[in-house]
Amino acid sequence: MTLSEKSLLSTNNFSPTERILHSEIGEYVKQMFVPTLGKSIETQIDEIVNDFSEEFLITKKANTNIEIDLIIKNFGESKIPLEPTDFESYFQYLGDNVVSHSIHTSSPQFIGHMTSALPSFVRPIAKLMTAMNQNAVKIETAKALSFYEREALAMMHRQIYNLSDNFYNLHIQNNQSTLGILTSGGTTANITALWCARNKSLGAKNEFLGVEKEGLTAALNFYGYKGAVVIGSELMHFSFDKAADLMGISTQNLIRVAVDSNNRVNIQALRQAVADCRQKNLHIIAIVGIAGTTDSGSVDPLEDIAEIAQENNIHFHVDAAWGGPVIFSRKHQQKLAGIEKADSVTIDGHKQLYLPMGIGMVFFRDPHLASSIEKHASYTMRKGSFDLGKRALEGSRPGMALFLHAALKLIGLKGYEFLIDEGIRKTQYMAARISVMPEFELLADPDTNLLIYRYIPEEFRGIIAEKKLIEKDNQIINNFNECLQKMQRQIGRTFISRTTKTTISLDKQFPVIAMRAVIANPLTTEEDIDAVLNDQIQIASEISISHVSKMNN
Amino acid sequence: MTLSEKSLLSTNNFSPTERILHSEIGEYVKQMFVPTLGKSIETQIDEIVNDFSEEFLITKKANTNIEIDLIIKNFGESKIPLEPTDFESYFQYLGDNVVSHSIHTSSPQFIGHMTSALPSFVRPIAKLMTAMNQNAVKIETAKALSFYEREALAMMHRQIYNLSDNFYNLHIQNNQSTLGILTSGGTTANITALWCARNKSLGAKNEFLGVEKEGLTAALNFYGYKGAVVIGSELMHFSFDKAADLMGISTQNLIRVAVDSNNRVNIQALRQAVADCRQKNLHIIAIVGIAGTTDSGSVDPLEDIAEIAQENNIHFHVDAAWGGPVIFSRKHQQKLAGIEKADSVTIDGHKQLYLPMGIGMVFFRDPHLASSIEKHASYTMRKGSFDLGKRALEGSRPGMALFLHAALKLIGLKGYEFLIDEGIRKTQYMAARISVMPEFELLADPDTNLLIYRYIPEEFRGIIAEKKLIEKDNQIINNFNECLQKMQRQIGRTFISRTTKTTISLDKQFPVIAMRAVIANPLTTEEDIDAVLNDQIQIASEISISHVSKMNN
């Protein structure tokens, strides 16, 4: 019995098709909005959705092996239907074509991306959020929720900065203060942080009205700079490219400093980059430290970066979109030491806070920093109001605070500590396994719960062991790993992602295609990890070296 | 029986508190993620949430009359609890403190903002979206959903641009083409449109690498401009201030052209503004036309703006965040004539497409325009892939396409036409009522389904009728209306928002505090409209003129 056949068993007692035929479309559509009338339809759709979800969530396969070309054929319609489609056929269609061929991000053997299983309470909360449909942009559409959101953000702020009771009493519910901003994700959080940093550091002074009102060129002129830059490691997330582009400072002025062999920014090189910019008379908007690179989970030496930023009076931003929740772990929080010195910190809720997709956050050490981006409108966001939209990149936005607040309370510090510790523990297990398996090469010691490694075809294992890899052979190994990752993804039993790293052999730098494991799902066991590695070994046995040797890369 | 008492009746068969005491926190938390074990908790929370929702959705009052100061007292906690809070007490707390004091955005007498009732099917879909937890940023975390999203966007694109079958066959599922981008809201949609327009118009040429890589100052230098501007009416949404600030062109260079008495941009003045900028050697990134101002729902003469943009070879952006869905109405779509000539169009899903909060869209006439903002990363978003995140401001984002696609199919063209027609019809009813009621003054003829008007205290009705209003009296009427709107909001039976407009009397311009009605809820009846107006009259009778005369404004 397929997903959709099963679900439709429960729906044969409602038949909207008939209803459309027997009444006006207007009446039919209006009924959808009536809570009492809509209730029976809602209950029945709810049952279908529960069936979909149940089957979806227990499936261990990462995804179906349907080819992209086949999927594409199903989605070629460009006309909105004239009349309403009946619920029955739409949900059948949805089950067959969308739910069936979606990625089982919650599968314990889908350990390749930062999206994993969620606690069950988020699903009913999603429905509640949609039923309440608050718009967090302003008090008039989100009364209690505005203060509830501020409280949740304050709890996270305290976890990062741990300031005094006095500080929090003063700022949590003070409409002049912004401890944090809820965003749609880490990208908008990072952009918001840099936007604040730029506007503050190039603000109004004497006759100059500030970069906001007079623009970037005038600001650089007024302050006597030749340009503006943001500095961080070469592993900065691509949201910083977006920020540099969007803010008009140019992606070339996003200065990417080299990392060491464990993917942490080279502090010597960072210090040099700051000095170079000063010497070239370039304004440094911010120095970025990464707490958990997207590539490999590595954490920059935040204390050292904080010191450089402080010495030079530069805004220090920490992109902890991934790694931020490591602060919950007494065992591992030391890795993030220095984060409390950051002027701003990005943390994603939909990553290691285990919240549904669509929630990021940015926190500020100075509760008044965000006033540098404040905007008003005559119909709302009035000065002195509690409207959250006054200081934010986004405007209307949903009550995602429900997920954050509930999770902080229902999981608690110790619960999050367990989740973080487990992820790191299992990653160390995987690293240890890989180290002793001849089929694989570990490419870096894991800082947190990301792991990069690669498969080494048998004929190259000796060369790797002797560290005598030459470029031509590396290219074949690269092709092999790319092919392996794509086949694994296509077969769909298990999943590991891939990235490109640099390795050094015989004093030469080579680009390396690496397998990238992300171990965050609390349901992933050691057996699951073994299964994923064994799946790769099995698929590798079907790849011919002569085939990949001819691949262009 | 209160909301929370009622809901808790169904929860006495699970007692997580005990479970915490009897087992390790780790095991307890892990169980939350197990679909089968989590199921019973989920089912019970689901019941509570259903009870919350049901009561919430049938409440006619706009909100409770609790004072903000009292709410604030409930949200002063800054510490995350050490141990997990039990579900029972958390949901009791949530019901008592958050759900109870949230705004009934779906109430038929809450007719003051752009958030209203939703069709019932979105609630179970919210749960499905969260269960599937796809991340639309890339194929590897959103397989079928990526193509399904593209299809939904293509359907909207066709509704706006109505290009040929050939065009859609070529572009719907072509990874080089971007017909539209799903965003978290209209603000990010507007910013994205202007970002594309800026990058395209100041792109790479000869030795110049383009504004993206070299920055705004270098771009202006290379192209020989003194600055860059965006031009639109003075009623442009405040997201354009954000865009102008963020992009470094300055909010002063967001050129706001005067509107006529019906709040539509003055075409003569717009033409002049374009000429002035050219003469001053300022680069015009885009001209913005508004299809439904946030203030009053008015629609700019888009045909005329399109002509000016075409003549001058300037990007033409239409902010149809609110008014876009008027294209569904055969009766009213003529108001939007010219939108099909726009280079980019913003439409909000969470406004008149009746989708839950958190979905905006931007559409492009040229499917290759968005390549001007394309970014890549080594671990994903590779060139040639179908990863939707390559061309977007945001990164990770939820499968909101589920709401859009489902609503287009389940409501259909005729269903949306009904919703739009009804909103406008009822607004005209309200305008007609106000015109004949001595208590009110209509401040503009409604273009769509927003209405601005004000209450006139008895002693000023003669002066208004004779058009002899002087500034001092206007100020008292302003104070009166501000007071009235605030009291109405606080009492919470009904709701109307307020804005500030300009009126002319005796050849002088006065700022006018206006009541702003938004009639989009399909459940709002003529009786509801009368009730809201009568509520205002009743509250007005309790306001003393001598009190408001002394108010500072």
Side-chain angles (χ1 to χ4, degrees):
Chain A
M1 190 154 59
T2 72
L3 197 63
S4 55
E5 275 164 4
K6 187 175 141 199
S7 64
L8 286 172
L9 293 180
S10 57
T11 68
N12 50 17
N13 54 335
F14 81 111
S15 166
T17 323
E18 264 177 57
R19 205 182 302 150
I20 299 178
L21 295 174
H22 289 99
S23 70
E24 294 288 331
I25 284 179
E27 271 312 302
Y28 172 73
V29 168
K30 212 160 111 179
Q31 280 179 14
M32 293 181 187
F33 291 80
V34 181
T36 43
L37 283 175
K39 191 72 198 160
S40 79
I41 298 174
E42 187 177 339
T43 308
Q44 289 169 69
I45 298 178
D46 214 34
E47 276 172 33
I48 303 177
V49 159
N50 283 344
D51 286 347
F52 283 174
S53 301
E54 205 168 323
E55 187 158 335
F56 191 82
L57 291 169
I58 57 165
T59 305
K60 210 154 187 174
K61 265 175 75 88
N63 61 268
T64 59
N65 62 356
I66 190 170
E67 299 275 355
I68 294 283
D69 289 349
L70 267 175
I71 294 188
I72 285 180
K73 290 206 179 101
N74 294 333
F75 299 104
E77 185 56 59
S78 62
K79 284 180 182 155
I80 301 168
L82 202 58
E83 313 224 335
T85 308
D86 64 279
F87 289 102
E88 199 165 332
S89 32
Y90 188 73
F91 280 90
Q92 168 139 22
Y93 155 88
L94 196 66
D96 291 347
N97 295 283
V98 185
V99 183
S100 302
H101 302 304
S102 285
I103 305 290
H104 295 105
T105 52
S106 61
S107 157
Q109 297 186 5
F110 176 88
I111 50 171
H113 279 302
M114 292 174 164
T115 313
S116 78
L118 300 179
S120 57
F121 63 79
V122 300
R123 294 186 282 277
I125 290 180
K127 207 165 67 171
L128 179 64
M129 180 180 94
T130 307
M132 291 167 63
N133 204 34
Q134 302 294 286
N135 180 352
V137 73
K138 51 183 176 270
I139 286 286
E140 287 184 345
T141 50
K143 200 173 173 178
L145 187 98
S146 303
F147 305 99
Y148 171 80
E149 177 177 311
R150 289 184 71 105
E151 182 180 81
L153 289 168
M155 289 193 271
M156 285 298 297
H157 188 282
R158 188 160 197 160
Q159 198 56 27
I160 301 164
Y161 291 108
N162 196 24
L163 300 174
S164 67
D165 282 342
N166 242 355
F167 175 89
Y168 291 101
N169 290 340
L170 194 62
H171 296 292
I172 294 186
Q173 300 298 356
N174 181 333
N175 64 22
Q176 299 301 309
S177 310
T178 305
L179 297 181
I181 301 172
L182 218 59
T183 68
S184 64
T187 295
T188 22
N190 282 333
I191 294 173
T192 303
L194 296 185
W195 184 20
C196 290
R198 189 201 66 180
N199 281 16
K200 174 80 185 299
S201 62
L202 297 173
K205 190 175 169 185
N206 305 332
E207 78 283 16
F208 181 64
L209 301 174
V211 61
E212 175 189 6
K213 294 201 175 61
E214 299 208 24
L216 184 62
T217 306
L220 296 175
N221 276 343
F222 174 79
Y223 281 98
Y225 294 118
K226 284 205 169 153
V229 304
V230 170
I231 307 181
S233 102
E234 57 181 304
L235 294 178
M236 273 185 290
H237 186 255
F238 73 115
S239 53
F240 291 97
D241 290 273
K242 291 180 183 177
D245 176 4
L246 201 49
M247 295 197 305
I249 67 166
S250 91
T251 52
Q252 281 180 352
N253 277 357
L254 180 66
I255 300 187
R256 295 179 172 277
V257 175
V259 292
D260 65 22
S261 63
N262 276 321
N263 299 305
R264 301 185 195 116
V265 71
N266 180 321
I267 285 294
Q268 207 59 19
L270 181 65
R271 219 175 259 286
Q272 190 56 50
V274 170
D276 287 351
C277 289
R278 301 236 131 176
Q279 207 240 317
K280 287 181 195 157
N281 203 20
L282 296 169
H283 170 56
I284 305 169
I285 291 175
I287 302 181
V288 176
I290 313 173
T293 61
T294 319
D295 236 26
S296 56
S298 47
V299 180
D300 282 337
L302 303 179
E303 288 276 19
D304 298 344
I305 303 178
E307 197 184 299
I308 298 173
Q310 258 168 9
E311 278 169 22
N312 291 276
N313 196 25
I314 299 167
H315 183 103
F316 174 33
H317 175 67
V318 173
D319 179 4
W322 174 251
V326 171
I327 48 172
F328 287 106
S329 160
R330 282 165 295 183
K331 195 167 167 192
H332 298 289
Q333 61 192 184
Q334 189 51 35
K335 296 187 209 295
L336 265 56
I339 195 171
E340 74 285 357
K341 293 176 181 159
D343 295 294
S344 54
V345 175
T346 289
I347 295 184
D348 255 336
H350 54 227
K351 294 196 168 90
Q352 298 208 77
L353 290 177
Y354 296 90
L355 310 181
M357 200 46 59
I359 177 166
M361 292 155 241
V362 57
F363 299 95
F364 305 104
R365 189 169 225 291
D366 170 4
H368 301 120
L369 179 62
S371 62
S372 65
I373 60 164
E374 186 162 325
K375 302 280 177 288
H376 298 276
S378 56
Y379 47 88
T380 182
M381 311 305 155
R382 289 173 281 256
K383 275 199 178 174
S385 74
F386 270 102
D387 297 334
L388 297 176
K390 282 191 300 187
R391 306 181 199 113
L393 193 155
E394 289 157 287
S396 296
R397 57 183 179 76
M400 296 295 283
L402 283 161
F403 295 115
L404 175 64
H405 196 286
L408 292 178
K409 291 281 194 178
L410 295 173
I411 294 177
L413 274 180
K414 285 190 179 172
Y416 273 119
E417 179 176 51
F418 165 81
L419 293 169
I420 294 298
D421 287 352
E422 275 292 282
I424 297 178
R425 184 185 67 72
K426 287 182 285 188
T427 307
Q428 285 161 352
Y429 167 82
M430 187 170 184
R433 285 291 296 142
I434 285 175
S435 307
V436 298
M437 290 170 88
E439 293 89 350
F440 297 108
E441 180 189 21
L442 193 65
L443 292 169
D445 288 329
D447 248 8
T448 55
N449 50 345
L450 261 74
L451 195 66
I452 48 173
Y453 66 99
R454 62 174 170 174
Y455 184 88
I456 305 293
E458 202 165 353
E459 36 277 81
F460 299 104
R461 288 175 197 164
I463 296 170
I464 294 282
E466 291 165 33
K467 302 191 184 224
K468 285 187 179 163
L469 185 70
I470 57 168
E471 193 160 1
K472 199 178 123 277
D473 292 342
N474 183 63
Q475 186 57 51
I476 296 173
I477 301 173
N478 277 357
N479 292 351
F480 194 99
N481 277 273
E482 184 175 341
C483 185
L484 172 56
Q485 193 265 347
K486 284 183 177 168
M487 281 177 68
Q488 182 184 14
R489 181 178 66 193
Q490 184 54 44
I491 294 165
R493 287 186 298 254
T494 63
F495 180 77
I496 291 282
S497 64
R498 72 177 199 273
T499 187
T500 305
K501 301 298 306 169
T502 302
T503 196
I504 295 167
S505 177
L506 300 172
D507 289 334
K508 282 193 73 176
Q509 281 208 340
F510 300 143
V512 161
I513 290 186
M515 298 289 179
R516 171 176 168 269
V518 184
I519 314 225
N521 188 335
L523 304 182
T524 299
T525 60
E526 282 85 344
E527 291 70 36
D528 288 314
I529 292 170
D530 290 343
V532 174
L533 291 173
N534 289 334
D535 197 28
Q536 290 192 319
I537 291 172
Q538 192 196 317
I539 296 166
S541 72
E542 292 157 24
I543 300 173
S544 103
I545 285 284
S546 67
H547 171 70
V548 297
S549 300
K550 287 176 219 139
M551 270 172 68
N552 285 324
N553 206 358
Chain B
M1 190 153 59
T2 72
L3 198 62
S4 55
E5 275 163 4
K6 187 176 142 198
S7 63
L8 286 172
L9 294 180
S10 58
T11 68
N12 50 16
N13 54 335
F14 81 113
S15 167
T17 321
E18 263 177 58
R19 206 182 299 151
I20 299 178
L21 295 175
H22 289 98
S23 71
E24 295 286 331
I25 284 179
E27 271 313 301
Y28 172 73
V29 168
K30 212 159 113 181
Q31 280 179 14
M32 293 181 186
F33 291 80
V34 181
T36 43
L37 282 175
K39 190 72 198 159
S40 80
I41 299 174
E42 188 177 340
T43 309
Q44 290 170 68
I45 299 177
D46 214 33
E47 277 173 34
I48 303 177
V49 159
N50 283 346
D51 286 347
F52 282 173
S53 302
E54 205 168 322
E55 187 157 335
F56 191 82
L57 291 169
I58 57 164
T59 305
K60 211 155 186 173
K61 265 176 74 90
N63 61 268
T64 59
N65 63 356
I66 190 171
E67 299 275 354
I68 294 284
D69 289 348
L70 268 175
I71 294 188
I72 284 180
K73 291 207 179 101
N74 295 333
F75 299 105
E77 185 55 61
S78 62
K79 285 181 182 156
I80 302 168
L82 203 58
E83 312 224 336
T85 309
D86 64 279
F87 288 102
E88 201 164 333
S89 36
Y90 189 73
F91 280 90
Q92 168 140 22
Y93 155 87
L94 196 66
D96 291 348
N97 294 283
V98 185
V99 183
S100 301
H101 302 303
S102 285
I103 305 290
H104 295 105
T105 52
S106 61
S107 157
Q109 296 185 8
F110 176 88
I111 51 171
H113 279 303
M114 292 174 164
T115 312
S116 79
L118 301 178
S120 58
F121 63 80
V122 299
R123 292 186 283 275
I125 290 180
K127 207 166 66 170
L128 179 63
M129 181 180 94
T130 307
M132 291 167 63
N133 204 34
Q134 303 293 285
N135 180 351
V137 73
K138 51 183 176 270
I139 285 286
E140 286 185 344
T141 50
K143 199 172 174 180
L145 187 98
S146 303
F147 304 99
Y148 171 80
E149 176 177 312
R150 290 184 70 104
E151 183 180 81
L153 289 169
M155 289 194 272
M156 284 299 295
H157 188 283
R158 188 161 197 161
Q159 198 58 25
I160 301 164
Y161 291 108
N162 197 22
L163 300 174
S164 68
D165 282 342
N166 242 355
F167 175 89
Y168 292 102
N169 290 339
L170 194 62
H171 296 293
I172 294 187
Q173 301 297 356
N174 181 332
N175 64 22
Q176 300 301 308
S177 310
T178 305
L179 297 181
I181 301 172
L182 219 59
T183 68
S184 63
T187 295
T188 22
N190 281 335
I191 295 173
T192 303
L194 295 186
W195 185 19
C196 290
R198 189 201 66 180
N199 282 16
K200 173 81 185 299
S201 62
L202 297 172
K205 191 176 169 185
N206 306 330
E207 78 283 15
F208 180 64
L209 301 174
V211 62
E212 176 190 4
K213 294 201 176 62
E214 300 208 22
L216 185 61
T217 306
L220 297 174
N221 277 341
F222 174 79
Y223 282 98
Y225 293 118
K226 284 206 169 153
V229 305
V230 169
I231 307 180
S233 102
E234 57 180 305
L235 294 178
M236 273 186 289
H237 185 255
F238 73 113
S239 54
F240 292 97
D241 291 274
K242 292 181 183 176
D245 176 4
L246 200 50
M247 295 198 305
I249 67 167
S250 91
T251 52
Q252 281 181 351
N253 276 358
L254 179 66
I255 300 186
R256 294 179 172 277
V257 175
V259 292
D260 64 23
S261 63
N262 277 320
N263 299 306
R264 302 184 194 117
V265 71
N266 180 320
I267 285 295
Q268 207 59 19
L270 181 64
R271 219 175 260 284
Q272 190 57 50
V274 170
D276 287 351
C277 290
R278 302 236 131 174
Q279 207 240 318
K280 288 181 194 156
N281 203 20
L282 296 169
H283 170 56
I284 305 168
I285 291 176
I287 303 181
V288 176
I290 314 173
T293 61
T294 318
D295 236 25
S296 56
S298 47
V299 180
D300 282 337
L302 303 179
E303 289 276 20
D304 297 343
I305 304 178
E307 197 184 298
I308 297 174
Q310 258 168 11
E311 278 169 22
N312 292 276
N313 195 25
I314 300 168
H315 183 103
F316 174 34
H317 174 68
V318 173
D319 179 4
W322 174 251
V326 173
I327 48 173
F328 287 106
S329 160
R330 281 165 296 183
K331 194 167 167 191
H332 298 289
Q333 61 192 186
Q334 188 51 34
K335 296 186 210 293
L336 264 56
I339 195 172
E340 74 286 357
K341 292 175 182 160
D343 295 294
S344 53
V345 175
T346 288
I347 295 184
D348 256 337
H350 54 227
K351 295 197 167 90
Q352 298 208 78
L353 290 178
Y354 297 90
L355 309 181
M357 201 45 60
I359 178 167
M361 294 155 239
V362 56
F363 299 95
F364 304 104
R365 190 167 224 291
D366 170 5
H368 300 119
L369 180 62
S371 63
S372 65
I373 60 163
E374 186 162 325
K375 303 279 177 290
H376 298 277
S378 56
Y379 46 88
T380 182
M381 312 305 154
R382 290 173 280 256
K383 275 199 178 176
S385 74
F386 270 101
D387 296 334
L388 297 175
K390 282 191 301 188
R391 305 182 200 113
L393 193 155
E394 290 158 285
S396 295
R397 57 183 179 78
M400 296 294 284
L402 282 161
F403 296 114
L404 175 63
H405 195 285
L408 292 178
K409 291 281 194 179
L410 295 173
I411 295 176
L413 275 180
K414 285 191 179 172
Y416 274 118
E417 178 176 51
F418 166 80
L419 294 169
I420 295 296
D421 286 352
E422 274 292 283
I424 297 177
R425 184 186 67 73
K426 286 182 286 188
T427 308
Q428 286 162 351
Y429 167 82
M430 186 170 183
R433 286 289 299 142
I434 285 175
S435 307
V436 298
M437 289 170 89
E439 293 88 349
F440 298 108
E441 180 190 21
L442 193 64
L443 292 169
D445 289 328
D447 248 7
T448 55
N449 49 345
L450 262 75
L451 195 66
I452 48 174
Y453 65 99
R454 62 174 170 173
Y455 184 87
I456 306 292
E458 202 165 353
E459 37 276 81
F460 299 103
R461 287 174 198 164
I463 297 170
I464 292 283
E466 291 165 34
K467 301 190 185 228
K468 285 185 178 162
L469 185 69
I470 58 167
E471 194 160 0
K472 199 178 124 277
D473 292 341
N474 183 63
Q475 186 57 50
I476 297 172
I477 301 173
N478 277 356
N479 292 352
F480 194 99
N481 277 274
E482 183 175 339
C483 185
L484 171 56
Q485 193 266 346
K486 284 183 177 169
M487 282 178 67
Q488 183 184 14
R489 181 178 65 192
Q490 184 55 44
I491 294 166
R493 287 186 298 256
T494 63
F495 180 78
I496 291 282
S497 64
R498 71 176 199 271
T499 188
T500 306
K501 301 298 306 168
T502 302
T503 197
I504 296 168
S505 177
L506 301 171
D507 288 335
K508 283 193 74 176
Q509 281 207 340
F510 301 144
V512 162
I513 290 185
M515 299 288 178
R516 171 175 167 270
V518 184
I519 314 225
N521 188 334
L523 304 181
T524 300
T525 60
E526 282 84 343
E527 290 70 36
D528 288 314
I529 292 170
D530 290 344
V532 175
L533 292 172
N534 289 334
D535 197 28
Q536 290 191 318
I537 291 171
Q538 193 195 316
I539 296 166
S541 72
E542 293 156 24
I543 300 173
S544 101
I545 285 284
S546 67
H547 172 69
V548 297
S549 300
K550 287 176 219 135
M551 270 171 68
N552 286 323
N553 207 359

